[in-house]
Amino acid sequence: MAKTFTAAFAQTPQTGSAVATLAGAVTSDTPTNTVLIGTAGAEGAILTKLSAIPRATVTASGLYLFISQDAGTTKRMVDSALMGAHTWAATTDNEPTIFDDITETTPIRLEAGDELYVSSAVALAGGIVFNAEWTDF
C-alpha cells in the first residue's frame, strides 16, 4: 500500500448553530427531538468547540451531542454537559454552557459526511441555542 508522508491539515473553518425546544430522550441509538447542527466535509473534520445558551429561564438540563454516520438513522451519543438553572432577566449575565471535553487540543475527529446532532433533556419554548465550531480537512 502506498504511504503518504505529508500531513493533512484542516482547511476550512465552519460554524453551525441549532435551536432545541423539545425535550429529547437519549436512551437508545434513536434519540428523540434531536436537531442537526452540522455535517463534516468530504475529507472529514475536527470539532473544536460546542456551547449552548438558553433564550429563556431554564431549569438545570442535560445537553447532548450525537454523531450519525447514516444520515440520521442511528445517532450515537458522544458527549454531554450540564446546563445549570438560569433565571432570564435583562440585568443578568447569561453564561453559555461549554462542552469542556471538546477543545482545540482535544477535538472530536469526524469522518467524511458525519452529521452532528444536539438535544436537551428539558423542553424550553424559548429554545436553547447550540453553537459549534469545526474545521473541514
PDB file of all heavy atoms in Angstrom, residues 16-20 37 49-55 58 61-65 80-84 86 94-100 118-120 124 127-132:
ATOM      1  N   GLY A  16     -21.715  26.378  13.021  1.00  0.00           N
ATOM      2  CA  GLY A  16     -23.104  25.970  12.880  1.00  0.00           C
ATOM      3  C   GLY A  16     -23.845  26.282  14.162  1.00  0.00           C
ATOM      4  O   GLY A  16     -23.258  26.345  15.235  1.00  0.00           O
ATOM      5  N   SER A  17     -25.136  26.508  14.018  1.00  0.00           N
ATOM      6  CA  SER A  17     -25.966  26.700  15.200  1.00  0.00           C
ATOM      7  C   SER A  17     -27.293  25.996  14.994  1.00  0.00           C
ATOM      8  O   SER A  17     -27.723  25.764  13.867  1.00  0.00           O
ATOM      9  CB  SER A  17     -26.177  28.184  15.500  1.00  0.00           C
ATOM     10  OG  SER A  17     -26.913  28.794  14.476  1.00  0.00           O
ATOM     11  N   ALA A  18     -27.913  25.643  16.114  1.00  0.00           N
ATOM     12  CA  ALA A  18     -29.197  24.953  16.083  1.00  0.00           C
ATOM     13  C   ALA A  18     -29.947  25.322  17.356  1.00  0.00           C
ATOM     14  O   ALA A  18     -29.332  25.616  18.383  1.00  0.00           O
ATOM     15  CB  ALA A  18     -28.997  23.440  16.009  1.00  0.00           C
ATOM     16  N   VAL A  19     -31.261  25.287  17.285  1.00  0.00           N
ATOM     17  CA  VAL A  19     -32.097  25.616  18.445  1.00  0.00           C
ATOM     18  C   VAL A  19     -32.915  24.392  18.830  1.00  0.00           C
ATOM     19  O   VAL A  19     -33.673  23.861  18.013  1.00  0.00           O
ATOM     20  CB  VAL A  19     -33.034  26.810  18.146  1.00  0.00           C
ATOM     21  CG1 VAL A  19     -33.908  27.108  19.354  1.00  0.00           C
ATOM     22  CG2 VAL A  19     -32.224  28.030  17.733  1.00  0.00           C
ATOM     23  N   ALA A  20     -32.755  23.956  20.074  1.00  0.00           N
ATOM     24  CA  ALA A  20     -33.536  22.842  20.611  1.00  0.00           C
ATOM     25  C   ALA A  20     -34.644  23.402  21.491  1.00  0.00           C
ATOM     26  O   ALA A  20     -34.375  24.197  22.391  1.00  0.00           O
ATOM     27  CB  ALA A  20     -32.645  21.909  21.415  1.00  0.00           C
ATOM     28  N   ILE A  37     -26.874  20.106  13.708  1.00  0.00           N
ATOM     29  CA  ILE A  37     -26.106  21.341  13.855  1.00  0.00           C
ATOM     30  C   ILE A  37     -25.029  21.480  12.782  1.00  0.00           C
ATOM     31  O   ILE A  37     -24.587  22.569  12.480  1.00  0.00           O
ATOM     32  CB  ILE A  37     -25.505  21.457  15.274  1.00  0.00           C
ATOM     33  CG1 ILE A  37     -24.983  22.875  15.534  1.00  0.00           C
ATOM     34  CG2 ILE A  37     -24.439  20.413  15.504  1.00  0.00           C
ATOM     35  CD1 ILE A  37     -24.648  23.155  16.969  1.00  0.00           C
ATOM     36  N   LYS A  49     -15.168  23.068  19.240  1.00  0.00           N
ATOM     37  CA  LYS A  49     -15.902  23.811  20.259  1.00  0.00           C
ATOM     38  C   LYS A  49     -17.396  23.558  20.113  1.00  0.00           C
ATOM     39  O   LYS A  49     -17.926  23.529  19.006  1.00  0.00           O
ATOM     40  CB  LYS A  49     -15.637  25.312  20.143  1.00  0.00           C
ATOM     41  CG  LYS A  49     -16.278  26.117  21.261  1.00  0.00           C
ATOM     42  CD  LYS A  49     -15.882  27.587  21.200  1.00  0.00           C
ATOM     43  CE  LYS A  49     -16.509  28.347  22.359  1.00  0.00           C
ATOM     44  NZ  LYS A  49     -16.168  29.764  22.307  1.00  0.00           N
ATOM     45  N   LEU A  50     -18.061  23.391  21.254  1.00  0.00           N
ATOM     46  CA  LEU A  50     -19.510  23.279  21.294  1.00  0.00           C
ATOM     47  C   LEU A  50     -19.987  23.945  22.570  1.00  0.00           C
ATOM     48  O   LEU A  50     -19.455  23.684  23.653  1.00  0.00           O
ATOM     49  CB  LEU A  50     -19.952  21.812  21.262  1.00  0.00           C
ATOM     50  CG  LEU A  50     -21.464  21.565  21.260  1.00  0.00           C
ATOM     51  CD1 LEU A  50     -22.127  22.155  20.012  1.00  0.00           C
ATOM     52  CD2 LEU A  50     -21.761  20.080  21.365  1.00  0.00           C
ATOM     53  N   SER A  51     -20.966  24.832  22.427  1.00  0.00           N
ATOM     54  CA  SER A  51     -21.534  25.516  23.586  1.00  0.00           C
ATOM     55  C   SER A  51     -23.037  25.656  23.391  1.00  0.00           C
ATOM     56  O   SER A  51     -23.562  25.429  22.302  1.00  0.00           O
ATOM     57  CB  SER A  51     -20.889  26.894  23.775  1.00  0.00           C
ATOM     58  OG  SER A  51     -21.167  27.726  22.662  1.00  0.00           O
ATOM     59  N   ALA A  52     -23.719  26.028  24.471  1.00  0.00           N
ATOM     60  CA  ALA A  52     -25.169  26.208  24.415  1.00  0.00           C
ATOM     61  C   ALA A  52     -25.550  27.336  25.362  1.00  0.00           C
ATOM     62  O   ALA A  52     -24.918  27.533  26.408  1.00  0.00           O
ATOM     63  CB  ALA A  52     -25.886  24.926  24.814  1.00  0.00           C
ATOM     64  N   ILE A  53     -26.600  28.063  24.984  1.00  0.00           N
ATOM     65  CA  ILE A  53     -27.064  29.174  25.800  1.00  0.00           C
ATOM     66  C   ILE A  53     -28.587  29.239  25.717  1.00  0.00           C
ATOM     67  O   ILE A  53     -29.156  29.116  24.630  1.00  0.00           O
ATOM     68  CB  ILE A  53     -26.389  30.495  25.355  1.00  0.00           C
ATOM     69  CG1 ILE A  53     -26.618  31.611  26.354  1.00  0.00           C
ATOM     70  CG2 ILE A  53     -26.793  30.884  23.954  1.00  0.00           C
ATOM     71  CD1 ILE A  53     -25.677  32.784  26.157  1.00  0.00           C
ATOM     72  N   PRO A  54     -29.280  29.378  26.865  1.00  0.00           N
ATOM     73  CA  PRO A  54     -30.744  29.416  26.834  1.00  0.00           C
ATOM     74  C   PRO A  54     -31.257  30.800  26.444  1.00  0.00           C
ATOM     75  O   PRO A  54     -30.613  31.811  26.724  1.00  0.00           O
ATOM     76  CB  PRO A  54     -31.130  29.077  28.278  1.00  0.00           C
ATOM     77  CG  PRO A  54     -29.998  29.609  29.091  1.00  0.00           C
ATOM     78  CD  PRO A  54     -28.767  29.419  28.243  1.00  0.00           C
ATOM     79  N   ARG A  55     -32.438  30.818  25.810  1.00  0.00           N
ATOM     80  CA  ARG A  55     -33.069  32.092  25.439  1.00  0.00           C
ATOM     81  C   ARG A  55     -34.234  32.432  26.355  1.00  0.00           C
ATOM     82  O   ARG A  55     -35.026  33.323  26.050  1.00  0.00           O
ATOM     83  CB  ARG A  55     -33.563  32.043  23.991  1.00  0.00           C
ATOM     84  CG  ARG A  55     -32.434  31.880  23.001  1.00  0.00           C
ATOM     85  CD  ARG A  55     -32.859  32.192  21.598  1.00  0.00           C
ATOM     86  NE  ARG A  55     -33.821  31.232  21.081  1.00  0.00           N
ATOM     87  CZ  ARG A  55     -34.087  31.094  19.788  1.00  0.00           C
ATOM     88  NH1 ARG A  55     -33.457  31.847  18.907  1.00  0.00           N
ATOM     89  NH2 ARG A  55     -34.980  30.218  19.388  1.00  0.00           N
ATOM     90  N   VAL A  58     -34.510  28.740  32.479  1.00  0.00           N
ATOM     91  CA  VAL A  58     -34.367  27.300  32.272  1.00  0.00           C
ATOM     92  C   VAL A  58     -34.011  26.615  33.593  1.00  0.00           C
ATOM     93  O   VAL A  58     -33.313  27.187  34.423  1.00  0.00           O
ATOM     94  CB  VAL A  58     -33.294  27.006  31.190  1.00  0.00           C
ATOM     95  CG1 VAL A  58     -31.912  27.427  31.637  1.00  0.00           C
ATOM     96  CG2 VAL A  58     -33.301  25.551  30.763  1.00  0.00           C
ATOM     97  N   SER A  61     -30.404  21.305  33.079  1.00  0.00           N
ATOM     98  CA  SER A  61     -30.718  20.420  31.964  1.00  0.00           C
ATOM     99  C   SER A  61     -29.476  19.731  31.438  1.00  0.00           C
ATOM    100  O   SER A  61     -28.430  20.364  31.238  1.00  0.00           O
ATOM    101  CB  SER A  61     -31.346  21.234  30.826  1.00  0.00           C
ATOM    102  OG  SER A  61     -31.540  20.423  29.686  1.00  0.00           O
ATOM    103  N   GLY A  62     -29.616  18.440  31.153  1.00  0.00           N
ATOM    104  CA  GLY A  62     -28.570  17.725  30.443  1.00  0.00           C
ATOM    105  C   GLY A  62     -28.607  18.107  28.973  1.00  0.00           C
ATOM    106  O   GLY A  62     -29.682  18.201  28.372  1.00  0.00           O
ATOM    107  N   LEU A  63     -27.439  18.356  28.394  1.00  0.00           N
ATOM    108  CA  LEU A  63     -27.305  18.676  26.973  1.00  0.00           C
ATOM    109  C   LEU A  63     -26.479  17.573  26.329  1.00  0.00           C
ATOM    110  O   LEU A  63     -25.518  17.080  26.939  1.00  0.00           O
ATOM    111  CB  LEU A  63     -26.614  20.027  26.789  1.00  0.00           C
ATOM    112  CG  LEU A  63     -27.246  21.212  27.515  1.00  0.00           C
ATOM    113  CD1 LEU A  63     -26.390  22.466  27.315  1.00  0.00           C
ATOM    114  CD2 LEU A  63     -28.673  21.442  27.055  1.00  0.00           C
ATOM    115  N   TYR A  64     -26.833  17.193  25.099  1.00  0.00           N
ATOM    116  CA  TYR A  64     -26.233  16.009  24.494  1.00  0.00           C
ATOM    117  C   TYR A  64     -25.764  16.269  23.065  1.00  0.00           C
ATOM    118  O   TYR A  64     -26.402  17.001  22.318  1.00  0.00           O
ATOM    119  CB  TYR A  64     -27.242  14.851  24.491  1.00  0.00           C
ATOM    120  CG  TYR A  64     -27.809  14.609  25.865  1.00  0.00           C
ATOM    121  CD1 TYR A  64     -29.076  15.064  26.204  1.00  0.00           C
ATOM    122  CD2 TYR A  64     -27.049  13.966  26.839  1.00  0.00           C
ATOM    123  CE1 TYR A  64     -29.585  14.868  27.472  1.00  0.00           C
ATOM    124  CE2 TYR A  64     -27.554  13.762  28.110  1.00  0.00           C
ATOM    125  CZ  TYR A  64     -28.826  14.219  28.430  1.00  0.00           C
ATOM    126  OH  TYR A  64     -29.325  14.041  29.688  1.00  0.00           O
ATOM    127  N   LEU A  65     -24.654  15.603  22.705  1.00  0.00           N
ATOM    128  CA  LEU A  65     -24.108  15.645  21.351  1.00  0.00           C
ATOM    129  C   LEU A  65     -24.098  14.229  20.799  1.00  0.00           C
ATOM    130  O   LEU A  65     -23.663  13.300  21.482  1.00  0.00           O
ATOM    131  CB  LEU A  65     -22.680  16.203  21.358  1.00  0.00           C
ATOM    132  CG  LEU A  65     -21.925  16.131  20.030  1.00  0.00           C
ATOM    133  CD1 LEU A  65     -22.572  17.037  18.982  1.00  0.00           C
ATOM    134  CD2 LEU A  65     -20.465  16.494  20.227  1.00  0.00           C
ATOM    135  N   SER A  80     -21.682  15.027  26.570  1.00  0.00           N
ATOM    136  CA  SER A  80     -22.790  15.704  27.241  1.00  0.00           C
ATOM    137  C   SER A  80     -22.233  16.776  28.159  1.00  0.00           C
ATOM    138  O   SER A  80     -21.042  16.783  28.494  1.00  0.00           O
ATOM    139  CB  SER A  80     -23.635  14.705  28.037  1.00  0.00           C
ATOM    140  OG  SER A  80     -22.874  14.164  29.090  1.00  0.00           O
ATOM    141  N   ALA A  81     -23.107  17.686  28.555  1.00  0.00           N
ATOM    142  CA  ALA A  81     -22.752  18.751  29.504  1.00  0.00           C
ATOM    143  C   ALA A  81     -24.002  19.071  30.308  1.00  0.00           C
ATOM    144  O   ALA A  81     -25.122  18.808  29.867  1.00  0.00           O
ATOM    145  CB  ALA A  81     -22.255  19.984  28.760  1.00  0.00           C
ATOM    146  N   LEU A  82     -23.798  19.657  31.478  1.00  0.00           N
ATOM    147  CA  LEU A  82     -24.920  20.035  32.317  1.00  0.00           C
ATOM    148  C   LEU A  82     -25.076  21.551  32.303  1.00  0.00           C
ATOM    149  O   LEU A  82     -24.160  22.275  32.694  1.00  0.00           O
ATOM    150  CB  LEU A  82     -24.731  19.554  33.756  1.00  0.00           C
ATOM    151  CG  LEU A  82     -25.843  19.955  34.720  1.00  0.00           C
ATOM    152  CD1 LEU A  82     -27.175  19.321  34.312  1.00  0.00           C
ATOM    153  CD2 LEU A  82     -25.480  19.581  36.144  1.00  0.00           C
ATOM    154  N   MET A  83     -26.239  22.007  31.813  1.00  0.00           N
ATOM    155  CA  MET A  83     -26.565  23.433  31.856  1.00  0.00           C
ATOM    156  C   MET A  83     -27.227  23.702  33.200  1.00  0.00           C
ATOM    157  O   MET A  83     -28.206  23.048  33.562  1.00  0.00           O
ATOM    158  CB  MET A  83     -27.518  23.808  30.719  1.00  0.00           C
ATOM    159  CG  MET A  83     -28.000  25.251  30.773  1.00  0.00           C
ATOM    160  SD  MET A  83     -29.053  25.663  29.367  1.00  0.00           S
ATOM    161  CE  MET A  83     -27.795  25.921  28.129  1.00  0.00           C
ATOM    162  N   GLY A  84     -26.691  24.631  33.952  1.00  0.00           N
ATOM    163  CA  GLY A  84     -27.261  24.982  35.243  1.00  0.00           C
ATOM    164  C   GLY A  84     -28.555  25.766  35.073  1.00  0.00           C
ATOM    165  O   GLY A  84     -28.821  26.350  34.020  1.00  0.00           O
ATOM    166  N   HIS A  86     -31.058  28.777  35.218  1.00  0.00           N
ATOM    167  CA  HIS A  86     -30.799  30.194  34.988  1.00  0.00           C
ATOM    168  C   HIS A  86     -32.126  30.938  34.879  1.00  0.00           C
ATOM    169  O   HIS A  86     -33.030  30.501  34.170  1.00  0.00           O
ATOM    170  CB  HIS A  86     -29.997  30.395  33.696  1.00  0.00           C
ATOM    171  CG  HIS A  86     -29.805  31.828  33.331  1.00  0.00           C
ATOM    172  ND1 HIS A  86     -28.924  32.645  34.000  1.00  0.00           N
ATOM    173  CD2 HIS A  86     -30.392  32.599  32.398  1.00  0.00           C
ATOM    174  CE1 HIS A  86     -28.985  33.864  33.476  1.00  0.00           C
ATOM    175  NE2 HIS A  86     -29.867  33.852  32.503  1.00  0.00           N
ATOM    176  N   ASN A  94     -25.952  35.906  30.979  1.00  0.00           N
ATOM    177  CA  ASN A  94     -26.394  34.592  30.546  1.00  0.00           C
ATOM    178  C   ASN A  94     -25.189  33.834  30.004  1.00  0.00           C
ATOM    179  O   ASN A  94     -24.906  33.855  28.814  1.00  0.00           O
ATOM    180  CB  ASN A  94     -27.484  34.749  29.482  1.00  0.00           C
ATOM    181  CG  ASN A  94     -28.221  33.463  29.210  1.00  0.00           C
ATOM    182  OD1 ASN A  94     -28.006  32.470  29.884  1.00  0.00           O
ATOM    183  ND2 ASN A  94     -29.083  33.478  28.230  1.00  0.00           N
ATOM    184  N   GLU A  95     -24.450  33.185  30.902  1.00  0.00           N
ATOM    185  CA  GLU A  95     -23.232  32.481  30.525  1.00  0.00           C
ATOM    186  C   GLU A  95     -23.532  31.229  29.707  1.00  0.00           C
ATOM    187  O   GLU A  95     -24.421  30.450  30.076  1.00  0.00           O
ATOM    188  CB  GLU A  95     -22.447  32.065  31.773  1.00  0.00           C
ATOM    189  CG  GLU A  95     -21.768  33.210  32.481  1.00  0.00           C
ATOM    190  CD  GLU A  95     -20.604  33.770  31.694  1.00  0.00           C
ATOM    191  OE1 GLU A  95     -19.853  32.997  31.053  1.00  0.00           O
ATOM    192  OE2 GLU A  95     -20.456  34.999  31.703  1.00  0.00           O
ATOM    193  N   PRO A  96     -22.793  30.990  28.629  1.00  0.00           N
ATOM    194  CA  PRO A  96     -23.003  29.756  27.870  1.00  0.00           C
ATOM    195  C   PRO A  96     -22.479  28.545  28.633  1.00  0.00           C
ATOM    196  O   PRO A  96     -21.565  28.644  29.448  1.00  0.00           O
ATOM    197  CB  PRO A  96     -22.198  29.982  26.590  1.00  0.00           C
ATOM    198  CG  PRO A  96     -21.201  31.021  26.936  1.00  0.00           C
ATOM    199  CD  PRO A  96     -21.793  31.858  28.022  1.00  0.00           C
ATOM    200  N   THR A  97     -23.056  27.398  28.352  1.00  0.00           N
ATOM    201  CA  THR A  97     -22.561  26.122  28.862  1.00  0.00           C
ATOM    202  C   THR A  97     -21.593  25.585  27.822  1.00  0.00           C
ATOM    203  O   THR A  97     -21.946  25.445  26.649  1.00  0.00           O
ATOM    204  CB  THR A  97     -23.719  25.128  29.078  1.00  0.00           C
ATOM    205  OG1 THR A  97     -24.609  25.682  30.046  1.00  0.00           O
ATOM    206  CG2 THR A  97     -23.210  23.785  29.547  1.00  0.00           C
ATOM    207  N   ILE A  98     -20.380  25.303  28.250  1.00  0.00           N
ATOM    208  CA  ILE A  98     -19.336  24.822  27.345  1.00  0.00           C
ATOM    209  C   ILE A  98     -19.185  23.307  27.510  1.00  0.00           C
ATOM    210  O   ILE A  98     -19.123  22.800  28.623  1.00  0.00           O
ATOM    211  CB  ILE A  98     -17.980  25.497  27.671  1.00  0.00           C
ATOM    212  CG1 ILE A  98     -18.107  27.027  27.678  1.00  0.00           C
ATOM    213  CG2 ILE A  98     -16.894  25.025  26.711  1.00  0.00           C
ATOM    214  CD1 ILE A  98     -18.452  27.647  26.363  1.00  0.00           C
ATOM    215  N   PHE A  99     -19.125  22.592  26.401  1.00  0.00           N
ATOM    216  CA  PHE A  99     -18.792  21.165  26.423  1.00  0.00           C
ATOM    217  C   PHE A  99     -17.270  21.092  26.611  1.00  0.00           C
ATOM    218  O   PHE A  99     -16.503  21.219  25.650  1.00  0.00           O
ATOM    219  CB  PHE A  99     -19.226  20.494  25.121  1.00  0.00           C
ATOM    220  CG  PHE A  99     -20.698  20.222  25.030  1.00  0.00           C
ATOM    221  CD1 PHE A  99     -21.608  21.265  24.950  1.00  0.00           C
ATOM    222  CD2 PHE A  99     -21.182  18.920  25.007  1.00  0.00           C
ATOM    223  CE1 PHE A  99     -22.978  21.023  24.853  1.00  0.00           C
ATOM    224  CE2 PHE A  99     -22.549  18.664  24.911  1.00  0.00           C
ATOM    225  CZ  PHE A  99     -23.446  19.720  24.841  1.00  0.00           C
ATOM    226  N   ASP A 100     -16.839  20.921  27.863  1.00  0.00           N
ATOM    227  CA  ASP A 100     -15.425  21.043  28.226  1.00  0.00           C
ATOM    228  C   ASP A 100     -14.512  19.992  27.609  1.00  0.00           C
ATOM    229  O   ASP A 100     -13.306  20.206  27.501  1.00  0.00           O
ATOM    230  CB  ASP A 100     -15.265  20.985  29.747  1.00  0.00           C
ATOM    231  CG  ASP A 100     -15.848  22.202  30.430  1.00  0.00           C
ATOM    232  OD1 ASP A 100     -15.859  23.291  29.825  1.00  0.00           O
ATOM    233  OD2 ASP A 100     -16.308  22.063  31.587  1.00  0.00           O
ATOM    234  N   VAL A 118     -27.721  17.645  18.236  1.00  0.00           N
ATOM    235  CA  VAL A 118     -27.745  18.054  19.637  1.00  0.00           C
ATOM    236  C   VAL A 118     -29.159  17.940  20.182  1.00  0.00           C
ATOM    237  O   VAL A 118     -30.131  17.922  19.419  1.00  0.00           O
ATOM    238  CB  VAL A 118     -27.236  19.504  19.803  1.00  0.00           C
ATOM    239  CG1 VAL A 118     -25.752  19.592  19.497  1.00  0.00           C
ATOM    240  CG2 VAL A 118     -28.019  20.474  18.928  1.00  0.00           C
ATOM    241  N   SER A 119     -29.266  17.864  21.513  1.00  0.00           N
ATOM    242  CA  SER A 119     -30.581  17.876  22.146  1.00  0.00           C
ATOM    243  C   SER A 119     -30.435  18.287  23.600  1.00  0.00           C
ATOM    244  O   SER A 119     -29.334  18.337  24.152  1.00  0.00           O
ATOM    245  CB  SER A 119     -31.277  16.514  22.049  1.00  0.00           C
ATOM    246  OG  SER A 119     -30.695  15.595  22.930  1.00  0.00           O
ATOM    247  N   SER A 120     -31.578  18.567  24.213  1.00  0.00           N
ATOM    248  CA  SER A 120     -31.662  18.930  25.624  1.00  0.00           C
ATOM    249  C   SER A 120     -32.605  17.963  26.324  1.00  0.00           C
ATOM    250  O   SER A 120     -33.564  17.480  25.725  1.00  0.00           O
ATOM    251  CB  SER A 120     -32.197  20.360  25.751  1.00  0.00           C
ATOM    252  OG  SER A 120     -32.517  20.653  27.096  1.00  0.00           O
ATOM    253  N   LEU A 124     -37.841  23.752  26.367  1.00  0.00           N
ATOM    254  CA  LEU A 124     -37.782  25.179  26.638  1.00  0.00           C
ATOM    255  C   LEU A 124     -38.375  25.889  25.427  1.00  0.00           C
ATOM    256  O   LEU A 124     -37.769  25.898  24.352  1.00  0.00           O
ATOM    257  CB  LEU A 124     -36.343  25.635  26.885  1.00  0.00           C
ATOM    258  CG  LEU A 124     -36.159  27.091  27.290  1.00  0.00           C
ATOM    259  CD1 LEU A 124     -36.849  27.382  28.625  1.00  0.00           C
ATOM    260  CD2 LEU A 124     -34.690  27.448  27.369  1.00  0.00           C
ATOM    261  N   GLY A 127     -36.226  28.121  23.634  1.00  0.00           N
ATOM    262  CA  GLY A 127     -35.151  27.408  22.952  1.00  0.00           C
ATOM    263  C   GLY A 127     -33.793  27.543  23.616  1.00  0.00           C
ATOM    264  O   GLY A 127     -33.504  28.518  24.304  1.00  0.00           O
ATOM    265  N   ILE A 128     -32.990  26.526  23.411  1.00  0.00           N
ATOM    266  CA  ILE A 128     -31.575  26.531  23.792  1.00  0.00           C
ATOM    267  C   ILE A 128     -30.793  26.565  22.488  1.00  0.00           C
ATOM    268  O   ILE A 128     -30.965  25.706  21.625  1.00  0.00           O
ATOM    269  CB  ILE A 128     -31.201  25.298  24.627  1.00  0.00           C
ATOM    270  CG1 ILE A 128     -31.977  25.322  25.946  1.00  0.00           C
ATOM    271  CG2 ILE A 128     -29.698  25.236  24.869  1.00  0.00           C
ATOM    272  CD1 ILE A 128     -31.837  24.066  26.766  1.00  0.00           C
ATOM    273  N   VAL A 129     -29.941  27.577  22.339  1.00  0.00           N
ATOM    274  CA  VAL A 129     -29.152  27.733  21.123  1.00  0.00           C
ATOM    275  C   VAL A 129     -27.805  27.046  21.308  1.00  0.00           C
ATOM    276  O   VAL A 129     -27.058  27.370  22.234  1.00  0.00           O
ATOM    277  CB  VAL A 129     -28.937  29.225  20.787  1.00  0.00           C
ATOM    278  CG1 VAL A 129     -28.109  29.366  19.514  1.00  0.00           C
ATOM    279  CG2 VAL A 129     -30.262  29.945  20.646  1.00  0.00           C
ATOM    280  N   PHE A 130     -27.520  26.081  20.444  1.00  0.00           N
ATOM    281  CA  PHE A 130     -26.229  25.400  20.431  1.00  0.00           C
ATOM    282  C   PHE A 130     -25.370  26.044  19.345  1.00  0.00           C
ATOM    283  O   PHE A 130     -25.866  26.345  18.246  1.00  0.00           O
ATOM    284  CB  PHE A 130     -26.406  23.914  20.098  1.00  0.00           C
ATOM    285  CG  PHE A 130     -27.034  23.104  21.190  1.00  0.00           C
ATOM    286  CD1 PHE A 130     -28.410  23.085  21.359  1.00  0.00           C
ATOM    287  CD2 PHE A 130     -26.246  22.348  22.042  1.00  0.00           C
ATOM    288  CE1 PHE A 130     -28.998  22.325  22.357  1.00  0.00           C
ATOM    289  CE2 PHE A 130     -26.820  21.574  23.040  1.00  0.00           C
ATOM    290  CZ  PHE A 130     -28.197  21.566  23.203  1.00  0.00           C
ATOM    291  N   ASN A 131     -24.088  26.228  19.639  1.00  0.00           N
ATOM    292  CA  ASN A 131     -23.143  26.784  18.673  1.00  0.00           C
ATOM    293  C   ASN A 131     -21.938  25.863  18.570  1.00  0.00           C
ATOM    294  O   ASN A 131     -21.377  25.458  19.592  1.00  0.00           O
ATOM    295  CB  ASN A 131     -22.692  28.180  19.104  1.00  0.00           C
ATOM    296  CG  ASN A 131     -23.831  29.168  19.062  1.00  0.00           C
ATOM    297  OD1 ASN A 131     -24.322  29.479  17.993  1.00  0.00           O
ATOM    298  ND2 ASN A 131     -24.275  29.618  20.221  1.00  0.00           N
ATOM    299  N   ALA A 132     -21.555  25.534  17.340  1.00  0.00           N
ATOM    300  CA  ALA A 132     -20.433  24.619  17.112  1.00  0.00           C
ATOM    301  C   ALA A 132     -19.395  25.267  16.204  1.00  0.00           C
ATOM    302  O   ALA A 132     -19.737  26.083  15.327  1.00  0.00           O
ATOM    303  CB  ALA A 132     -20.927  23.323  16.464  1.00  0.00           C
TER     304      ALA A 132
END
